[in-house]
Amino acid sequence: MQLSRDFVHTGWVAIFTGTDTQIGRQREVDGWDPATGTALVVDPEMGVRRPVTDYSDFSHLEKASQVVAVLPGGGWHASQRGRGRHDPDSATEPVLAWLVTSIGGLIPVTMDHDGWIGTDHDMNRFSPPDR
């Protein structure tokens, strides 16, 4: 799963502008240095936590939302509305769970017809359970 600002446990991401050898990127803030209060990120090459200020291309921190609760799908289904007036909606997928974010967002966790499970921020049409 790709980094999403809805799945950041600290609620912060560090933004890096890039260098001659590395493209711009964002990294999840993994914690805070207890002595200096500086944000820490995991350096995947060294396998250690490093202060963001150790990176010459560190730009800034951005607030991200956090998942604060998970609710059962409750029989709901989700699909994506067709783009054009005559385009059909996507196939419906069962909602297995709802992720509730710290900013009040509700993100469906769905399963497609091939059995792949994941979040989908593009789903924008929801059907209640059959009664």
Side-chain angles (χ1 to χ4, degrees):
M1 183 180 295
Q2 233 178 351
L3 175 66
S4 166
R5 292 187 184 196
D6 296 314
F7 300 102
V8 178
H9 76 278
T10 62
W12 292 91
V13 292
I15 307 299
F16 300 88
T17 58
T19 65
D20 291 341
T21 59
Q22 198 166 27
I23 63 170
R25 63 212 176 279
Q26 67 181 23
R27 296 251 193 273
E28 177 179 347
V29 172
D30 191 53
W32 309 95
D33 184 290
T36 66
T38 304
L40 301 172
V41 295
V42 174
D43 182 329
E45 294 172 9
M46 296 177 65
V48 297
R49 294 166 81 194
R50 291 178 51 195
V52 293
T53 52
D54 279 3
Y55 295 87
S56 63
D57 65 332
F58 169 67
S59 174
H60 63 281
L61 298 177
E62 288 186 6
K63 184 77 176 131
S65 63
Q66 299 165 280
V67 173
V68 295
V70 180
L71 304 172
W76 284 77
H77 286 79
S79 64
Q80 183 178 0
R81 183 186 311 262
R83 298 217 187 271
R85 190 169 62 171
H86 300 291
D87 291 339
D89 292 348
S90 69
T92 61
E93 299 177 2
V95 176
L96 305 177
W98 298 97
L99 304 180
V100 182
T101 69
S102 60
I103 60 170
L106 200 59
I107 302 166
V109 177
T110 61
M111 181 172 60
D112 70 14
H113 68 280
D114 292 325
W116 290 98
I117 297 172
T119 60
D120 196 328
H121 294 271
D122 295 326
M123 296 293 194
N124 54 14
R125 190 175 287 255
F126 302 96
S127 306
D130 294 330
R131 303 245 178 224

